[in-house]
Amino acid sequence: MSLHFLAESSFLVWLLFVAVYDFRKRRVPNWLVLGGAALALAALVVDRQPFGLSWTAAFLGAAIGFGFLLLFYVLGLMGAGDVKFAGALGLWVGLPGLMPIWIAASLLAGAHGVLWLVLKRWAVFPKVAVALRGRSQAPDDIASSGIRTRFIPYAAYLAMATAAWIVWGRQS
């Protein structure tokens, strides 16, 4: 088994873990983000980066991924885990991969939000609406904590869009 295959497989497994965790918990823990970033750095160290990125390109992708989504976090539109995940993802795919991944993930997240709004108002499939909403928290808990609930698992959609980008990129 080659190191290149191992790096790419590790990347895909990491994306799977992020997607599943974010869909289930609506958060991405630091240990998961740091694990993916460590794997990306290890791939760079052994010169087996799956997308042929240089150190500079990888760090530029990480900085732009983190920095751009940090704006959405500051505005209260995104969770910190999503921002940190975007930084780690940028370390893997670099700046050229981030743009199509962001566009696809944003379209998926937008569809998620629209579907949730439709199902919330038209309760034909209440269990689907609840699943889209994520873990429920009592309104009193939200009001007392001052925490704004984020129900769109953006990191999961980034992970899904990345997997699609990998497959689509191999076709060309």
Side-chain angles (χ1 to χ4, degrees), residues 79-142:
D82 298 328
V83 176
K84 291 179 275 188
F85 174 69
L89 182 62
L91 198 56
W92 278 102
V93 301
L95 191 54
L98 284 178
M99 188 58 74
I101 290 168
W102 275 338
I103 291 170
S106 296
L107 290 172
L108 289 168
H112 178 118
V114 168
L115 183 60
W116 178 75
L117 286 172
V118 167
L119 292 174
K120 180 180 156 191
R121 295 191 193 329
W122 185 50
V124 173
F125 301 107
K127 289 186 179 184
V128 175
V130 168
L132 287 172
R133 177 73 172 128
R135 293 182 347 161
S136 62
Q137 193 174 23
D140 293 338
D141 293 343
I142 295 169

Side-chain angles (χ1 to χ4, degrees), residues 33-120:
V33 172
L34 291 173
L39 287 170
L41 290 173
L44 284 165
V45 166
V46 297
D47 198 28
R48 293 295 181 246
Q49 209 283 338
F51 308 107
L53 296 180
S54 67
W55 282 86
T56 305
F59 279 106
L60 181 63
I64 302 256
F66 182 84
F68 182 70
L69 292 188
L70 184 61
L71 174 65
F72 293 96
Y73 172 75
V74 169
L75 295 173
L77 300 172
M78 185 169 289
D82 298 328
V83 176
K84 291 179 275 188
F85 174 69
L89 182 62
L91 198 56
W92 278 102
V93 301
L95 191 54
L98 284 178
M99 188 58 74
I101 290 168
W102 275 338
I103 291 170
S106 296
L107 290 172
L108 289 168
H112 178 118
V114 168
L115 183 60
W116 178 75
L117 286 172
V118 167
L119 292 174
K120 180 180 156 191

Side-chain angles (χ1 to χ4, degrees), residues 6-17 51 92 162-163 166:
L6 186 60
E8 192 169 300
S9 298
S10 299
F11 178 56
L12 290 171
V13 168
W14 177 63
L15 291 175
L16 177 66
F17 275 110
F51 308 107
W92 278 102
T162 303
I166 292 169

